[in-house]
Amino acid sequence: MKGRILSLALALAVSLSILVGSVQLSRDAKLTEQVVRLHVIAASDSAEDQRLKLIVRDAILKRVNAMSFGSTEDAVQRLGASLDELARTAQQALQQEGIRDKVEVRLCTEQYPVRHYGTFSLPAGEYVSLQIQLGEAEGKNWWCVVYPGLCHACDEGLFEEAAEAAGFSDGQIRLMTLDNKPVQFRFKLLELLQKIKNFF
């Protein structure tokens, strides 16, 4: 009898967790649709190629920040129309360092794990991504956000203001900020639930 009650309680707890997780996944799906990520892939893991990756990142962010998007849809449309220009920006940044590696720039959908950026985090999920491949693209990645410009805002201590201006709800901002201590566990749980959901 005691074992049956324990099994029933455990089943109820699991069911409740899945229900809460499903609601959370739905809310996070909306969050992933409001963000365009930046994914720079270095040619290799050598110190020089990793340095070049950051130089390209800075050049791309400078160019993208000058574009001033009005919405996520606007960002996706204008970035898509600017791929050749962004490739030239990356190529010029490499050439100034005496490097003539090939550069490929594309707008695609990628699956991202949970990522932490200083004072905020983003949940795992599928995001529209501005992907920049340098050379053989076999090195470590650099990930952040091109729309809205949360990474620079984070560096300047203005994350919450930038997130609010980009249209994130108070709940989404709380979800993203690391001040919320359970965020890491919740994101990992949601990542697991997403994998289970994708399995079925």
Side-chain angles (χ1 to χ4, degrees):
M1 181 70 176
K2 199 174 187 180
R4 281 179 60 192
I5 292 173
L6 185 59
S7 296
L8 186 60
L10 183 59
L12 185 61
V14 169
S15 298
L16 186 59
S17 294
I18 290 172
L19 178 63
V20 170
S22 296
V23 171
Q24 190 72 53
L25 277 173
S26 175
R27 189 171 79 175
D28 288 351
K30 291 177 184 170
L31 190 150
T32 63
E33 292 166 6
Q34 291 175 259
V35 173
V36 180
R37 306 287 286 266
L38 174 62
H39 186 190
V40 184
I41 308 172
S44 76
D45 283 338
S46 73
E48 176 63 3
D49 283 341
Q50 289 297 308
R51 183 184 75 84
L52 292 170
K53 173 187 73 176
L54 299 180
I55 287 172
V56 169
R57 170 203 68 184
D58 291 344
I60 291 294
L61 284 175
K62 183 176 180 182
R63 180 67 198 99
V64 169
N65 288 341
M67 295 172 89
S68 184
F69 308 116
S71 66
T72 310
E73 293 77 15
D74 182 39
V76 170
Q77 186 176 16
R78 292 183 60 198
L79 287 170
S82 303
L83 295 179
D84 289 342
E85 179 188 344
L86 292 169
R88 283 193 298 274
T89 298
Q91 198 79 65
Q92 288 166 2
L94 289 178
Q95 287 172 359
Q96 287 174 1
E97 299 296 315
I99 304 297
R100 301 206 173 272
D101 281 355
K102 66 178 179 178
V103 173
E104 290 186 26
V105 179
R106 65 187 185 132
L107 206 56
C108 58
T109 301
E110 293 187 276
Q111 183 71 35
Y112 282 79
V114 176
R115 296 297 297 173
H116 306 291
Y117 302 100
T119 59
F120 76 100
S121 291
L122 287 173
E126 282 194 353
Y127 291 83
V128 174
S129 181
L130 177 64
Q131 186 189 87
I132 300 168
Q133 297 185 9
L134 306 178
E136 297 304 312
E138 294 178 349
K140 290 177 184 169
N141 308 299
W142 188 88
W143 290 325
C144 204
V145 183
V146 290
Y147 180 82
L150 299 178
C151 290
H152 281 314
C154 178
D155 293 341
E156 296 163 8
L158 301 171
F159 169 75
E160 290 194 18
E161 291 88 336
E164 189 175 335
F168 290 110
S169 69
D170 289 344
Q172 288 173 325
I173 293 170
R174 277 197 306 277
L175 183 67
M176 289 187 286
T177 55
L178 293 180
D179 290 339
N180 189 354
K181 300 298 182 192
V183 72
Q184 201 163 354
F185 168 75
R186 281 171 37 206
F187 280 171
K188 286 294 182 188
L189 177 62
L190 293 171
E191 194 170 3
L192 178 61
L193 286 168
Q194 184 69 51
K195 286 178 183 173
I196 292 168
K197 182 180 171 188
N198 291 341
F199 182 75
F200 293 104

